[in-house]
């Protein structure tokens, strides 16, 4: 649309008789340089000269950039009206690059290792799947450890992550249809706030939210998600529209705050926010607000006066940013981490304060790690909240919204304070509320009696009760330990050591000797001083109960394990004896014994030798079968056992003393040499290798084991223990030899030891364990 400009051609000769005053006065009539008399004469045709020319000029202007394309795709997701939105998928060359936050840099080394191994596998064609699996497992564990122990300022960093999904990212992901609506009907459309109508599972909602950009260009256009008064008035217009048509409202909050420049203040920024606050409390439709990033001050609250306030796990909601609060309270913005902790701006803290009504989980790494999954979790939260709110009538809905905000920070004197609200009170030293020792003891005695009754009635008591009691005792013991550490004055040192240990664990490094010495020293100090703690008796009592119950649980698990193993061994024995070749050999030997015509006691030496040989073959088969189950077989002859029992007591005492002496010498050698460090390295390598060590790990473990063995052998050879051991071995050999000469030879097998009785019988008896 151009503007029409009217210009007059200059007149080459001024009319004769024109005075200067007339010439100047004529300029006020819109035509410069032409006297009024001349114009009058020209209008009435009194002059023959025609030097007046009228020309039209069209000014070049920029073409309006409408969101509707020339050839809209009718099959686009969300319907053809989706083209009305300015929000389009980013081209490949404009997609945001991965951004690593400061506290995530410790994971870069693991990522680099994984990338290097993959590149090596692609170049060489070799199979590095085991190494990749181990590295990726370590990375996932490190990521889990990092994101389950985030500090408040780290959550602030995640909420501000440049790649975090925006309002429209979530909306287009969770809605079947969405139409964006523009303008405040006062001549302006603020792109920092987006509104529109969409459907979720067939339900129609009015959506509105702060929209940040996905790159620098979009952020500038969207004003970094900071709305002007026009944006809040647009949201207000859509609220009235939704209230008139009965559409539930869903708002998405993601803004550092309202835009506080001079122009916005002149246009009534505060009045626009206040108007929104007043209006939202009177809307007759359900309202759900979701904080997907950061919710700053009144700029967030202007669309956040809802029946339900839901926050993403790493979102934050604050009255002032941590940097601003630090500048005010600590006079230094570098104190932002401390301010973030004191402000209690995270989702979990706000849930405890009953400001937030729910927390939506995020994947490890933040919402930007898996935006689609995060959007679906938001969708579930919306559906669950709306199912609850839409059951209320209008009056109940308005009261629900009013009471949500009226109860924030409300306390009444003279009434016991709810434990959930205590976190909002002034911190003061209060004794920790403990479970009564008498109650714990009564519960343990009751559980033990139940187990005894179940044992007598041959009914197995469920393990859940025992496990629940052990978990309860573990919590109590942990609490008592913490109190004891605090009372002794070792809490600060313990916290520092934990931080150092966690850093080393995340960096996949070997524990330095200095840190080990610190830990050992702290343990010794605690062991020496714990008896002076006020809660020492309670700690000791509960620890004893925990150890007793743990032992019962372990014994029960071992019994079940042994029963299962015995069943497997018996099953293997039955399978071996039912094999055709075994049946044929047993049948042949039985026929030979039967054809001999003599009793089992009168069998000849040849047949006895065959029976013994057959038994040995069966035993060897069983040994192989048991080893296949992953068990070790310790074969001890009954004769050797009898001889061992007949060895004189003084020889046994000498053997025991020598074993103790050897054990003490080994401990001294380990403490006085570098073997202790090698043993720690070996333990670390074994733990690092896991259940499926690679070839390099196996070689390192074998080399370390060999070095330790050689060091021990060398130390033992240098002492006189070797000579003592040889002397004792000779003495034991002489005793055994004399006992063997005194004892008669092995008796022939009795009737109940025949092959016939070694097979499974009809009564169910099987090969003995």
């Amino acid at each position: 649309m151009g503007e029409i400009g009217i210009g007059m051609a200059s007149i080459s000769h001024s009319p004769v008789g024109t005075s200067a005053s007339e010439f100047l006065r004529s300029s006020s009539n819109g035509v410069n340089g032409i006297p009024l008399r001349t114009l009058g004469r020209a209008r009435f045709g009194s002059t023959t000269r025609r030097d007046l020319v009228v020309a039209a000029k069209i000014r070049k202007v920029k073409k309006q950039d409408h969101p509707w394309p020339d050839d809209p795709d009718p099959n686009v997701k969300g319907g053809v009206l989706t083209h009305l939105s300015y929000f389009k998928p980013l081209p490949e060359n404009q997609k945001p690059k991965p951004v690593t936050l400061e506290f995530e840099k410790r994971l870069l080394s693991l990522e680099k290792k994984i990338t290097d191994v993959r590149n090596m596998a692609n170049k060489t064609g070799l199979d590095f799947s085991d190494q990749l699996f181990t590295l990726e497992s370590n990375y996932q564990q490190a990521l889990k450890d990092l994101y389950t122990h985030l500090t408040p300022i780290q959550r602030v960093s995640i909420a501000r992550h440049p790649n975090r999904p925006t309002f429209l990212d979530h909306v287009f992901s969770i809605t079947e249809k969405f139409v964006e609506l523009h303008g405040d009907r006062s001549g302006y459309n603020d792109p920092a706030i987006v509104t529109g109508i969409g459907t979720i599972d067939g339900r129609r909602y009015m959506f509105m939210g702060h929209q940040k950009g996905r790159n620098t260009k979009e952020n500038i256009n969207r004003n970094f998600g900071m709305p002007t008064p026009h944006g809040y008035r647009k949201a207000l217009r859509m609220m009235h529209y939704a209230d008139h048509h009965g559409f539930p409202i869903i708002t998405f909050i993601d803004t550092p705050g309202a835009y506080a420049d001079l122009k916005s203040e002149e246009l009534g920024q505060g009045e626009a926010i206040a108007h929104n606050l007043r209006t939202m409390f009177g809307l007759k439709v359900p309202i759900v607000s979701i904080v997907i990033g950061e919710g700053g001050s009144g700029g967030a609250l202007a669309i956040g006066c809802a029946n339900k306030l839901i926050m993403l796990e790493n979102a934050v909601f604050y009255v002032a940013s941590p940097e601003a609060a630090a500048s005010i309270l600590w006079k230094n913005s570098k104190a932002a981490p401390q301010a973030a902790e004191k402000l209690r701006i995270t989702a979990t803290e706000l849930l405890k304060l009953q400001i937030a009504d729910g927390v939506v989980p995020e994947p490890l790494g933040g919402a930007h790690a898996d935006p689609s999954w995060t959007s679906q979790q938001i969708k579930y939260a919306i559906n669950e909240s709306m199912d609850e709110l839409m059951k209320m009538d209008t009056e109940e809905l308005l009261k629900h919204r009013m009471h949500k905000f009226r109860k924030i920070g409300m306390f009444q004197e003279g009434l016991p304070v709810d434990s959930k609200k205590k976190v909002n009170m002034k911190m003061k030293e209060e004794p920790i509320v403990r479970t009564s020792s008498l109650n714990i003891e009564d519960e343990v005695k009751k559980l033990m009696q139940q187990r005894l009754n179940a044992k007598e009635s041959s009914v197995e008591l469920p393990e859940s009760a025992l496990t629940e009691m052990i978990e309860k005792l573990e919590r109590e013991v942990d609490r008592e330990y913490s109190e004891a550490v605090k009372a002794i004055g070792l809490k600060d040192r313990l916290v520092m050591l934990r931080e150092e240990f966690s850093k080393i664990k995340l960096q996949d490094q070997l524990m330095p000797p200095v840190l080990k010495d610190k830990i050992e020293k702290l343990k010794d100090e605690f062991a020496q001083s714990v008896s002076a703690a006020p809660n020492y008796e309670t700690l000791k009592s509960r620890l004893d109960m925990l150890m007793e119950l743990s032992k019962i649980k372990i014994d029960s698990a071992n019994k079940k394990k042994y029963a299962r193993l015995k069943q497997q061994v018996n099953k293997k024995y039955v399978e071996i004896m039912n094999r055709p070749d075994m049946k044929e050999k047993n049948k042949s030997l039985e026929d030979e014994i039967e054809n001999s015509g003599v009793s089992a006691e009168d069998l000849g030496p040849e047949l006895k030798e065959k029976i013994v040989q057959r038994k040995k073959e069966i035993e060897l088969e069983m040994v192989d079968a048991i080893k296949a189950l992953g068990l070790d077989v310790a074969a001890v002859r009954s004769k050797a056992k009898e001889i061992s029992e007949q060895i004189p007591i003084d020889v046994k005492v000498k053997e025991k003393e020598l074993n103790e002496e050897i054990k003490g010498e080994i401990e001294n050698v380990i403490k006085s040499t570098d073997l202790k460090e090698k043993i720690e390295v070996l333990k670390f390598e074994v733990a690092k290798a896991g259940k499926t060590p690679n070839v390099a790990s196996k070689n390192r473990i074998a080399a370390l084991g060999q070095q330790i063995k050689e060091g021990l052998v060398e130390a033992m050879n240098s002492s006189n223990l070797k000579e003592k051991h040889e002397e004792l071995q000779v003495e034991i050999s002489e005793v055994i030899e004399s006992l063997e000469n005194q004892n008669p030879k092995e008796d022939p097998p009795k009737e109940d030891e025949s092959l016939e009785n070694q097979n499974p019988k009809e009564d169910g008896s099987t090969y003995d364990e």
Side-chain angles (χ1 to χ4, degrees):
M1 297 294 294
E3 292 183 359
I4 304 298
I6 301 176
M8 288 293 179
S10 60
I11 301 175
S12 55
H13 299 285
S14 298
V16 179
T18 303
S19 65
S21 60
E22 290 178 342
F23 184 83
L24 290 172
R25 284 197 299 273
S26 66
S27 62
S28 63
N29 290 284
V31 183
N32 294 330
I34 303 174
L36 294 177
R37 292 179 184 176
T38 306
L39 282 175
R41 287 196 297 269
R43 184 166 61 246
F44 295 108
S46 58
T47 180
T48 59
R49 298 191 60 175
R50 296 180 178 270
D51 295 329
L52 185 64
V53 179
V54 178
K57 181 180 179 183
I58 299 177
R59 187 180 66 183
K60 291 183 179 180
V61 295
K62 184 179 178 181
K63 184 180 178 182
Q64 184 68 26
D65 184 19
H66 293 285
W68 193 275
D70 296 332
D71 51 346
D73 182 6
N75 299 319
V76 71
K77 181 183 181 297
V80 69
L81 292 178
T82 308
H83 289 293
L84 288 174
S85 175
Y86 292 97
F87 189 83
K88 306 298 178 188
L90 286 173
E92 288 294 330
N93 58 348
Q94 293 183 13
K95 285 190 175 179
K97 297 178 181 178
V99 176
T100 302
L101 299 175
E102 186 66 30
F103 66 91
E104 293 177 325
K105 289 183 179 179
R106 64 183 77 173
L107 301 174
L108 290 178
S109 59
L110 283 173
E111 290 181 359
K112 187 176 183 302
K113 287 180 184 178
I114 294 172
T115 305
D116 292 343
V117 172
R118 280 180 179 160
N119 293 338
M120 190 181 297
N122 293 334
K123 288 179 182 179
T124 60
L126 299 175
D127 184 15
F128 289 97
S129 55
D130 292 342
Q131 290 85 339
L132 278 173
F133 177 77
T134 304
L135 286 171
E136 287 173 353
S137 300
N138 293 340
Y139 177 81
Q140 288 299 324
Q141 185 61 41
L143 186 67
K144 182 179 179 181
D145 293 341
L146 181 63
Y147 270 83
T148 50
H149 300 88
L150 290 171
T151 62
I153 195 64
Q154 289 172 346
R155 293 194 188 274
V156 173
S157 301
I158 299 171
R160 295 172 176 171
H161 198 286
N163 296 343
R164 193 169 177 86
T166 62
F167 160 54
L168 286 174
D169 287 321
H170 290 304
V171 165
F172 282 117
S173 181
I174 66 178
T175 57
E176 297 91 30
K177 293 181 179 180
F178 179 75
V179 181
E180 184 177 340
L181 303 175
H182 307 81
D184 63 348
R185 294 299 183 265
S186 297
Y188 192 80
N189 176 57
D190 186 359
I193 281 190
V194 175
T195 60
I197 300 174
T199 59
I200 299 177
D201 295 341
R203 286 181 181 173
R204 188 177 290 108
Y205 300 104
M206 173 63 75
F207 291 90
M208 58 188 68
H210 304 97
Q211 177 64 25
K212 288 183 177 179
R214 295 165 292 179
N215 51 38
T216 305
K217 182 180 178 181
E218 282 194 4
N219 268 319
I220 292 171
N221 291 337
R222 302 278 184 184
N223 200 27
F224 294 86
M226 294 184 289
T228 61
H230 304 286
Y232 293 120
R233 286 167 184 144
K234 175 169 69 170
L236 181 66
R237 182 173 76 87
M238 298 307 167
M239 289 176 194
H240 285 303
Y241 183 86
D243 192 45
H244 177 75
H245 292 281
F247 298 156
I249 298 172
I250 301 172
T251 68
F252 285 73
I253 298 172
D254 186 17
T255 180
Y259 194 48
D261 67 329
L262 179 61
K263 190 69 176 175
S264 296
E265 296 299 332
E266 289 174 350
L267 292 172
Q269 183 75 282
E271 182 270 342
I273 293 173
H275 201 172
N276 279 27
L277 297 178
R278 184 185 66 183
T279 303
M280 290 190 79
F281 279 106
L283 297 177
K284 301 179 181 62
V285 293
I287 307 174
V288 173
S289 293
I290 301 145
V291 185
I292 59 174
E294 54 179 338
S297 190
L301 203 60
I303 60 170
C305 297
N307 295 91
K308 294 272 187 182
L309 179 70
I310 301 168
M311 297 182 68
L312 262 62
E313 183 181 356
N314 294 317
V316 290
F317 199 51
Y318 48 72
V319 67
S321 67
E323 293 81 5
S327 299
I328 296 169
L329 299 176
W330 285 273
K331 310 301 180 184
N332 188 356
S333 61
K334 291 182 179 179
Q338 188 178 356
E341 185 177 356
K342 297 298 182 183
L343 285 170
R344 296 184 180 177
I345 58 179
T346 60
T348 51
E349 290 290 344
L350 293 173
L351 185 64
K352 291 178 185 177
L353 296 172
Q354 298 185 8
I355 294 173
D357 299 292
V359 178
V360 176
E362 293 185 29
L364 293 177
H368 54 278
D370 193 348
S372 178
W373 187 86
T374 308
S375 298
Q376 292 307 309
Q377 300 306 311
I378 293 174
K379 179 179 177 181
Y380 298 150
I382 290 172
N383 285 335
E384 186 178 355
S385 300
M386 284 298 179
D387 287 342
E388 179 185 349
L389 295 174
M390 293 183 76
K391 293 176 183 177
M392 303 179 184
D393 56 24
T394 303
E395 185 178 356
E396 188 179 1
L397 195 69
L398 292 172
K399 286 183 178 179
H400 179 275
R401 194 179 307 146
M402 179 190 68
H403 286 306
K404 171 181 169 50
F405 286 87
R406 288 295 299 271
K407 71 180 180 182
I408 294 174
M410 180 181 69
F411 298 97
Q412 185 173 349
E413 293 183 1
L415 294 178
V417 181
D418 185 4
S419 58
K420 292 181 180 178
K421 293 184 179 180
K422 281 187 178 180
V423 294
N424 200 30
M425 299 176 69
K426 182 181 178 181
M427 297 297 293
K428 60 181 180 179
E429 292 294 332
E430 291 183 355
I432 292 181
V433 180
R434 298 185 180 88
T435 308
S436 171
S437 300
L438 187 62
N439 293 342
I440 287 281
E441 289 178 3
D442 290 343
E443 290 180 20
V444 172
K445 287 179 181 178
K446 185 177 178 181
L447 179 64
M448 298 292 286
Q449 187 62 41
Q450 288 177 355
R451 288 185 62 82
L452 186 62
N453 296 339
K455 191 174 181 181
E456 291 176 355
S457 59
S458 301
V459 178
E460 189 174 354
L461 189 70
E463 292 291 328
S464 58
L466 182 61
T467 304
E468 186 178 350
M469 180 57 67
I470 288 174
E471 290 176 353
K472 187 174 182 179
L473 277 171
E474 284 176 347
R475 290 194 296 269
E476 292 293 324
V477 168
D478 286 341
R479 187 181 300 162
E480 296 296 338
Y481 265 121
S482 300
E483 278 298 295
V485 169
K486 185 177 178 181
I488 296 170
L490 301 176
K491 184 177 179 181
D492 294 338
R493 287 173 59 190
L494 180 62
V495 171
M496 290 174 62
L497 287 177
R498 278 178 177 169
E499 290 179 357
E500 291 182 33
F501 182 76
S502 61
K503 288 178 182 177
I504 291 169
K505 187 177 178 182
L506 284 175
Q507 294 171 2
D508 198 16
Q509 294 178 355
L510 185 64
M511 187 186 298
V514 178
L515 181 57
K516 287 177 64 178
D517 293 340
K518 288 182 181 178
I519 293 173
E520 292 297 330
K521 189 176 179 181
L522 185 65
K523 283 183 180 178
D524 294 339
E525 288 186 28
F526 178 78
Q528 293 173 5
S529 308
V530 68
S531 57
N535 62 333
Y536 174 69
E537 294 299 329
T538 307
L539 171 62
K540 189 173 181 298
S541 171
R542 296 188 181 182
L543 192 59
D544 291 340
M545 288 189 285
L546 176 61
M547 292 174 68
E548 185 179 357
L549 292 183
S550 299
K551 185 179 178 183
I552 292 172
K553 185 177 181 181
I554 292 170
D555 291 342
S556 176
N558 287 338
K559 285 180 182 178
K560 289 182 179 180
K561 180 181 177 182
Y562 295 152
R564 186 173 66 253
L565 290 174
K566 185 174 181 179
Q567 186 178 5
Q568 292 176 351
V569 170
N570 287 334
K571 186 179 178 182
K572 285 287 183 184
Y573 176 74
V574 172
E575 291 176 359
I576 290 171
M577 298 306 294
N578 287 334
R579 273 177 16 204
D581 59 329
M582 296 295 287
K583 281 186 175 182
E584 186 178 351
K585 290 179 181 180
N586 292 342
K587 182 64 176 173
S588 174
L589 186 55
E590 288 173 2
D591 292 343
E592 190 173 350
I593 293 171
E594 188 177 351
N595 293 335
S596 65
V598 295
S599 63
E601 297 177 356
D602 299 331
L603 289 176
E606 186 178 350
L607 276 176
K608 288 181 180 179
E609 184 64 29
K610 286 185 178 180
I611 292 171
V612 172
Q613 190 64 31
R614 187 76 196 102
K615 289 174 71 176
K616 287 183 179 179
E617 290 178 7
I618 295 172
E619 286 176 358
L620 290 174
E621 290 280 350
M622 280 302 301
V623 167
D624 293 338
I626 291 171
K627 285 183 177 179
L629 294 174
L631 303 173
D632 292 329
V633 180
V636 182
R637 293 181 301 170
S638 60
K639 184 177 178 182
K641 185 177 180 182
E642 291 174 3
I643 292 173
S644 174
E645 292 174 354
Q646 296 177 17
I647 292 176
I649 296 176
D650 58 338
V651 177
K652 290 183 178 179
V653 171
K654 287 182 182 179
E655 183 182 3
K656 186 177 180 181
E657 290 177 353
L658 182 61
N659 286 335
E660 292 294 334
E661 195 173 348
I662 291 171
K663 184 178 178 182
E665 184 65 25
I666 289 173
E667 290 178 355
N668 292 333
V669 168
I670 290 173
K671 289 179 180 178
S672 60
T673 61
D674 61 343
L675 287 178
K676 186 175 181 180
E677 187 175 349
K678 289 183 179 179
I679 291 171
E680 293 298 330
V681 174
L682 178 61
K683 288 180 181 178
F684 178 77
E685 289 291 341
V686 171
K688 184 180 175 182
K691 295 183 179 180
T692 56
N694 52 32
V695 178
S697 297
K698 287 181 179 178
N699 293 338
R700 285 196 299 270
I701 291 169
L704 284 169
Q706 187 63 29
Q707 291 174 14
I708 293 168
K709 287 179 183 178
E710 290 175 356
L712 286 173
V713 169
E714 184 180 352
M716 298 302 291
N717 288 337
S718 62
S719 65
N720 61 347
L721 291 176
K722 185 177 181 182
E723 298 173 359
K724 289 184 180 180
H725 180 266
E726 291 175 353
E727 291 174 2
L728 183 61
Q729 195 172 6
V730 171
E731 189 175 351
I732 292 174
S733 299
E734 291 175 356
V735 171
I736 292 174
E737 187 176 353
S738 63
L739 289 172
E740 284 181 347
N741 293 334
Q742 292 174 8
N743 292 329
K745 293 186 178 180
E746 185 180 358
D747 295 331
K750 297 180 181 179
E751 185 176 356
D752 60 350
E753 293 176 350
S754 63
L755 285 172
E756 181 181 3
N757 292 300
Q758 291 293 326
N759 286 301
K761 299 178 182 179
E762 293 181 0
D763 61 358
S765 58
T766 56
Y767 187 86
D768 190 73
E769 185 181 356

